[in-house]
Amino acid sequence: MKLKSVLLAALLATTALPALAQTPLPEDPLDDRSAKRIERMEKVVRELRSIVFQGRDTGKPVVVQPAETDAQIASLGERLGDLEQTLQKLNGQNEALTHDLDQARRASGDQKARADALEARLAALEKKLADMDAAAQAQAQQVAAAPAAPAPAADPAAAFKSARQLLLDGDYANAETAFSAYVTAYPDNARTPEARYWLGETLFVREAYADAAGAYIGAIRGWPQTSWAPDATLKLSRALVALKKPTDACKTLDELGRRYPKAPAAIVSRAASTRVAAKCA
């Protein structure tokens, strides 16, 4: 029955085609879509005619399948496979790009941290240089503003008197310079030990204890019997206490009592307090 139905449909289609062919076409030509539909219909008709003749010649059942279905399915399968491969490749590339991007971000973070550290160090160095430059300029201004110390006079007595007057005026900086110049200019003069004593006084007042101790030692070398010698010995012991040399300070105080037993009461009293500070036995 199915075969008869198919044959009947094929015959009807073949008889209908001439009628369609004899029908006059409208004046306007068919558009592309209509032309394609007619082409598909004609193809179906040809396939049906082939089926009819095949059944007639062989006498065997004919299996009818939709035209081009298998081919379309196969084509779609191939395209789907291609798309899957392309998608896999794209996924792989995407993963590689993501990995590279992560590494680039980490590297960028490390570089930024290093740049920040270097910038901080540079800023610290620039500040240090600026502070040193400012300190140097301030010192230069102080030196330029300070009055120049008088040069030692050609007469030793006049030079000593001038330096002593600076000390009495409280100009310790220039007094130090003047007494130092006197000691250098007149190393063998009779008043040079006393000049060393007064040089020690200018340094002691300014808390330059190491330099003051050196000046006092030069002044009392030989233990001179002068009015200022006991005080120079006492100031030497006090400078040594300030320099955290209590043993040397105690030895100096012992020499003070032995070398100058008739020292003024004020010096003896200060010597006792210095012994307490030095923790002498």
Side-chain angles (χ1 to χ4, degrees):
M1 290 296 293
K2 293 181 179 180
L3 180 57
K4 289 181 179 181
S5 298
V6 172
L7 294 175
L8 179 58
L11 291 174
L12 289 175
T14 55
T15 56
L17 284 175
L20 288 173
Q22 294 176 1
T23 303
L25 297 173
E27 294 180 1
D28 296 333
L30 296 174
D31 56 13
D32 292 340
R33 295 179 58 187
S34 298
K36 290 180 179 179
R37 291 178 61 189
I38 291 175
E39 289 178 359
R40 288 196 295 270
M41 291 173 64
E42 290 177 348
K43 185 175 181 181
V44 171
V45 170
R46 287 195 297 271
E47 291 177 353
L48 289 174
R49 292 182 63 184
S50 175
I51 292 170
V52 171
F53 291 132
Q54 180 182 359
R56 186 188 64 183
D57 296 339
T58 61
K60 295 180 179 179
V62 179
V63 179
V64 180
Q65 296 179 349
E68 299 182 351
T69 300
D70 293 339
Q72 292 177 355
I73 292 175
S75 177
L76 289 174
E78 292 178 357
R79 293 178 61 190
L80 181 60
D82 293 340
L83 289 175
E84 289 178 347
Q85 292 180 357
T86 302
L87 182 60
Q88 289 177 354
K89 291 180 180 179
L90 291 176
N91 286 335
Q93 293 176 357
N94 187 34
E95 291 176 357
L97 289 174
T98 302
H99 177 70
D100 293 342
L101 181 60
D102 291 339
Q103 288 186 335
R105 286 175 177 172
R106 286 194 293 269
S108 178
D110 294 341
Q111 292 295 333
K112 186 178 184 302
R114 293 176 184 174
D116 292 342
L118 289 174
E119 185 175 356
R121 290 178 61 188
L122 179 61
L125 289 174
E126 289 178 346
K127 184 178 182 304
K128 186 175 181 180
L129 289 175
D131 293 342
M132 292 175 64
D133 184 62
Q137 290 181 359
Q139 186 176 5
Q141 291 176 357
Q142 291 178 356
V143 172
D155 181 8
F160 188 93
K161 182 178 179 180
S162 176
R164 186 79 171 86
Q165 188 60 48
L166 289 171
L167 180 63
L168 294 174
D169 293 340
D171 189 356
Y172 298 111
N174 283 326
E176 175 192 342
T177 302
F179 279 117
S180 179
Y182 183 94
V183 169
T184 302
Y186 311 107
D188 299 325
N189 191 275
R191 302 199 70 175
T192 298
E194 185 180 359
R196 292 183 184 276
Y197 163 66
W198 293 120
L199 175 61
E201 291 290 270
T202 63
L203 294 167
F204 190 91
V205 170
R206 300 169 68 189
E207 298 183 354
Y209 298 116
D211 293 335
Y216 289 134
I217 291 173
I220 63 175
R221 185 176 290 113
W223 305 106
Q225 298 298 317
T226 62
S227 60
W228 50 263
D231 186 65
T233 306
L234 174 64
K235 292 291 182 60
L236 173 59
S237 67
R238 294 178 62 186
L240 292 171
V241 171
L243 293 171
K244 301 184 184 306
K245 295 182 177 181
T247 302
D248 294 336
C250 293
K251 290 180 180 180
T252 303
L253 291 171
D254 291 341
E255 290 295 329
L256 172 62
R258 185 165 46 253
R259 300 285 182 178
Y260 306 106
K262 297 181 180 181
I267 291 179
V268 173
S269 176
R270 283 185 292 167
S273 62
T274 304
R275 282 183 176 277
V276 174
K279 298 179 180 181
C280 298

